[in-house]
Amino acid sequence: MSVNKLTDEEKNLLLRLSYIDLPTSYENSKDSPNLERVVSDLALMPDYAEDETVIAIQDYLQKPNNNLADLKFAGYENNNPNFKDLMDHKSVSGFVGYAFEDREGNGVALFRGSESLVNPGHLATDWKSNVEAAMGIDIKQQREADDFYQRYLGELSGERLVMGHSKGGNLTSHVFVNNLDDNVKSYVINAAPIYWWDLSDEQKEALKGDRNSFIVFELDPVSQLGYVPYVDKVVSTKPRESMGEVLNPFYAHGLANVGDFDSEGNYERCKTGSNWARDGVNYVLAGVIFGVSMSTPVLMKKASDYVRNVAPHVISAAAKGLTKAANWLRDESIKIITKLQNVTRELKSNLNSFFNDMIHKAKSLVGGVAAFFAGGSAAAAEPVIKVDIGRLRYYAERLQNLKRRTAHLNDMVDSLYWEAGLLGLDNVLRADLRTSAIDTRITQSAAYLNRTAELMQRDEAYLLNRAGSVR
C-alpha cells in the first residue's frame, strides 16, 4: 500500500487515534501488531471500551479494500507528565507520537495536538509552548518530533508521510520543512501554523507545493494564528445541533466534527484553496502575531536560544584547534544577534568577551588534558587482577540513575534561559555546559563499566574453559 492512497477519511481517523493513549506496553515495544490488533487492545481498556474513535476505526476496518488494514504498529512515545516519569526524570514535554508502517516499507508518523486545559500538567507543557511556537521560538516538542521522525521513518526505503492536528500540525510542519531532502510529505488538519517569517525561501515554497496538504475546517480559529498563504482545502463541518455547539468557538476545530465523506473517502463538501474572508482575517491576526514576535522580550529569548545552541559548536571548534572556525562562529553569531534586536555597544562587547573567554577555556582544557596524558605515569603491573563483576554492573546502574537525575537538572537549567536574557546568559550557559559535560562523562563511565564487566566475564569463562581442557 502506498501512503499516497490513504483517503481523507482514513487520515482523519488516524489523527483521531493520535489523541488516545496506547497501553504502556507499547512504548519501546519490539512487536509489530497491525492496526486492528492495536484498536482491539484499546477496546479492552475500560476507558476506551465505548470510545467513539475506537468504535469508528473498528467499524471502518471491516470495510473491504480499506487501506488502514495494511498498517502495522512501529513506534510510540508519550512524554505527557505523570508521577512515574517525574520520579524517573524522563522527558515530560507533552510530546506524543505514533508510527506505523506497511509491508512495502512506507511509513506514517502522527503527532498529537494540545490537550485539555483542565489538566495542570498540559497547561505547563502544551499551552506554554504553544505561545512560544507561535512566536517562532524553538520548543522541545518540535525537537522531539524530529527525533521521533528520524528514529521511525528516517531509514525507511519507501514513502514517508507525517501528519498532525492542531499543535500536532505545527510539529508536522516543523518536521516537514526540516527534512525536505527525504522527499517526505505532510498532511495537517486545523494546524497551528509554523512561524512563517523565519523560514527559508525553499521551505516556504515547499509549504505551498504538492507535498504539503494544509486542510482547515470552516471557521476554525487555530489555523488562523499565523501567516498561512498555502491553504489547500476549506472543509464544511457537521451542522451545529445545540446552543452549546453554536456558542462554542472551537467547535470547528474538532476532528470528529468534520462533514461527510463520499464513497471514495474524500471530503464531500469542501472548497479548494482559501477564500477572501478567511484571508482577510488571517492577514490581521498574522500581523498581530508578527508584531508581538518582534517585541523585546521575544527577541531576547530568541537571541538567548541562538547563543545557547551555537556555544557548543564554538567550544568544539576551539577544542579541536580550529581557532579560525571558532572565531568565525563567534563573529557570525554576534552579527545575527545584532539583527535580532538593537544591541548596545556595551552588550556587543560583552558578547564578544563571552565568546573569547569560551574559546580560551576550551583550548586550555584540551591542552591540560593532552599534557596529562603525554606525561602520564604508567601504573605498576599487578600480578593478580581481582574484579567483582557484580559490583561493576551495580555501579553502572547507579550511574544510570544519576544520569536520569542530571537530565532532569538539565531541563531545569534550560527553563532559565527565558528569564535570564542576554545579560544573564553567561551564567546560565556556564551552568548548562557544566551539567551537559557531567551528563556526557556519566554516559561514558557507565558504558566503560558495562563493557569492562562484559570483557572480564568473557575472559573469565575463556580461562576457566582452558583450565578445564588442561586437566
Side-chain angles (χ1 to χ4, degrees), residues 166-184:
S166 193
K167 183 182 190 168
N170 179 279
L171 305 182
T172 298
S173 298
H174 174 83
V175 171
F176 172 67
V177 299
N178 285 288
N179 294 279
L180 294 177
D181 290 343
D182 289 353
N183 201 31
V184 61

Side-chain angles (χ1 to χ4, degrees), residues 412-431:
M412 294 174 67
V413 172
D414 288 348
S415 67
L416 295 176
Y417 280 100
W418 177 260
E419 288 82 5
L422 282 176
L423 292 175
L425 182 63
D426 56 339
N427 294 321
V428 180
L429 185 60
R430 192 173 292 113

Side-chain angles (χ1 to χ4, degrees), residues 157-227:
S157 59
E159 300 166 353
R160 303 175 181 91
L161 173 67
V162 287
M163 301 201 301
H165 165 258
S166 193
K167 183 182 190 168
N170 179 279
L171 305 182
T172 298
S173 298
H174 174 83
V175 171
F176 172 67
V177 299
N178 285 288
N179 294 279
L180 294 177
D181 290 343
D182 289 353
N183 201 31
V184 61
K185 294 185 178 180
S186 165
Y187 183 96
V188 298
I189 298 177
N190 295 339
I194 191 170
Y195 189 76
W196 176 260
W197 298 278
D198 281 348
L199 298 176
S200 68
D201 291 340
E202 181 187 11
Q203 291 171 327
K204 290 176 180 178
E205 289 304 313
L207 288 171
K208 295 178 181 179
D210 294 337
R211 289 164 55 190
N212 179 50
S213 296
F214 195 95
I215 311 299
V216 298
F217 292 173
E218 199 168 16
L219 300 181
D220 169 63
V222 175
S223 57
Q224 292 278 33
L225 301 178
Y227 187 48

Side-chain angles (χ1 to χ4, degrees), residues 350-395:
N350 289 341
L351 279 170
N352 194 57
S353 299
F354 168 71
F355 278 115
N356 286 339
D357 186 51
M358 230 182 0
I359 293 170
H360 174 72
K361 287 182 178 179
K363 291 166 68 176
S364 300
L365 176 63
V366 174
V369 172
F372 172 80
F373 282 107
S377 56
E382 294 287 342
V384 178
I385 300 177
K386 184 177 180 180
V387 178
D388 187 334
I389 295 174
R391 297 298 290 178
L392 286 176
R393 297 195 186 279
Y394 167 75
Y395 286 123

Side-chain angles (χ1 to χ4, degrees), residues 438-454:
I438 291 172
D439 185 65
T440 301
R441 289 197 294 270
I442 291 173
T443 302
Q444 292 171 342
S445 298
Y448 171 77
L449 290 175
N450 280 320
R451 181 60 176 161
T452 302
E454 291 173 4

